[in-house]
Amino acid sequence: MDEQTRKELTAWLEFYQELGIEGFYRRKPGAGETQPHFEAAQPAQPAVAPPPKSAAPPMPTRAVPAPEPPKPVAHATLPPAVIRPPSPAFNLFEAPPPPRSGPETLEQIREDLGDCRRCKLAPTRKTIVFGDGNPHAKLVFIGEGPGADEDEQGIPFVGRAGKLLNRMMQTVGLKREDVYICNVVKCRPPGNRTPEKDEVDSCSPFLYRQIEAIKPRLICCLGAPAVRTVLGIKEGITKIRGQFYNFGSTKALATVHPAYILRNPREEKILREDFEKIRDFLKGV
Ligand code: URA
């Protein structure tokens, strides 16, 4: 396909994607049809198609407190190509969309992540910490990023914060093997610093795909970076913790990171309180 045609095709596909239409097929030219012809298929169900790697996170709406008026969606200015009819040179057979026969599996997502070099965390990490637990979990915990122990072992939450997380789960009768645990970024930030925006932007599409694959009933965001990434909420965690939000059709609870409790042991009761909310929520699903 030549460059011009590729540009025009991209512009058309982006335009249809903005309309929510993601699948295309080409009708075989019939009698009297001399030009290539295409029609839009039914809009792809977002629940089936995982977000494209460059997609913005799904915009959650707050459940509690009362929903804010929706922010105006910034529509990208359409490139000039989209207001022209398709060029007769189009042949969509040259660029068929990859067939999707259902939701992705975690294995497929892990495979796609590969030996990831997408951000500047790659050179200093030892191990990619993809996630751990039940791929059909009703509950997914999302932390910030691997620490030193996780980087060594390739498993999330195995260090001191992980031990506290395990203890909290035990307190409310949850078993680690029943839940799924992952992080906003999959590689350890040097010195355990907070992941930076470009790192989160590179890694979070994999997190969204993991959530989409697992389809949990509840997501528990542990700490501010998870809350910011998953729910788009920038307020302080101690202000918004203990509340349920909507993340698509999944509920999400924001709570403090176990590492915060390790630094402020007197606050442990707030984490316990939030874990009791998780327990009560899961009883009802
Ligand atoms: N802290 C996190 O946020 N994630 C881990 O996996 C371990 C500690």
Side-chain angles (χ1 to χ4, degrees):
M1 186 186 297
D2 62 51
E3 187 57 17
Q4 177 61 20
T5 305
R6 197 187 61 75
K7 274 193 190 144
E8 289 187 337
L9 178 59
T10 303
W12 273 102
L13 292 174
E14 283 172 354
F15 173 57
Y16 281 110
Q17 197 176 35
E18 286 209 357
L19 298 179
I21 297 167
E22 296 190 339
F24 298 89
Y25 65 90
R26 196 188 82 152
R27 187 193 287 161
K28 282 204 173 117
E33 282 183 336
T34 52
Q35 288 189 359
H37 178 103
F38 72 91
E39 278 185 9
Q42 288 303 304
Q45 283 300 319
V48 173
K53 283 168 206 161
S54 60
M59 279 309 290
T61 50
R62 292 182 179 211
V64 180
E68 289 178 345
K71 298 206 174 90
V73 177
H75 280 290
T77 311
L78 297 177
V82 302
I83 55 169
R84 294 204 308 269
S87 146
F90 270 23
N91 179 353
L92 291 176
F93 280 148
E94 281 183 27
R100 289 211 183 280
S101 55
E104 287 182 300
T105 63
L106 289 173
E107 288 77 17
Q108 285 166 332
I109 300 164
R110 179 64 190 86
E111 200 179 313
D112 190 18
L113 185 64
D115 180 34
C116 185
R117 307 263 145 206
R118 292 169 181 82
C119 86
K120 61 184 185 300
L121 295 180
T124 52
R125 66 140 194 262
K126 278 192 186 152
T127 323
I128 294 178
V129 182
F130 181 67
D132 177 48
N134 183 342
H136 308 292
K138 285 187 180 166
L139 171 64
V140 170
F141 286 103
I142 302 175
E144 182 176 322
D149 296 311
E150 291 77 17
D151 188 42
E152 283 290 337
Q153 299 182 42
I155 303 170
F157 282 97
V158 288
R160 284 180 69 223
K163 299 225 165 30
L164 177 54
L165 178 65
N166 292 348
R167 184 157 63 76
M168 281 294 140
M169 282 196 274
Q170 255 177 15
T171 312
V172 296
L174 290 170
K175 292 195 191 113
R176 183 160 168 141
E177 61 266 30
D178 290 340
V179 307
Y180 191 84
I181 306 177
C182 54
N183 283 302
V184 169
V185 293
K186 312 220 175 300
C187 296
R188 182 190 182 199
N192 297 347
R193 64 158 169 76
T194 304
E196 292 171 2
K197 185 180 178 307
D198 56 316
E199 297 154 2
V200 173
D201 288 348
S202 298
C203 213
S204 55
F206 291 94
L207 172 65
Y208 302 132
R209 288 164 67 185
Q210 285 172 292
I211 296 170
E212 185 59 38
I214 299 168
K215 294 199 189 332
R217 306 303 287 266
L218 181 64
I219 294 166
C220 177
C221 296
L222 299 166
V227 171
R228 210 177 308 125
T229 304
V230 176
L231 299 173
I233 297 173
K234 295 200 177 86
E235 272 129 286
I237 185 72
T238 49
K239 242 191 188 170
I240 55 107
R241 57 148 279 266
Q243 296 179 19
F244 287 91
Y245 298 87
N246 290 324
F247 180 78
S249 57
T250 301
K251 293 283 177 210
L253 179 92
T255 192
V256 294
H257 195 286
Y260 170 81
I261 302 300
L262 292 175
R263 292 191 301 270
N264 303 275
R266 286 199 197 150
E267 307 265 26
E268 188 175 310
K269 69 171 186 323
I270 66 177
L271 193 57
R272 199 169 335 114
E273 243 174 61
D274 291 346
F275 271 63
E276 285 164 4
K277 288 185 183 172
I278 292 174
R279 176 196 59 203
D280 295 345
F281 176 90
L282 291 175
K283 270 188 201 154
V285 298

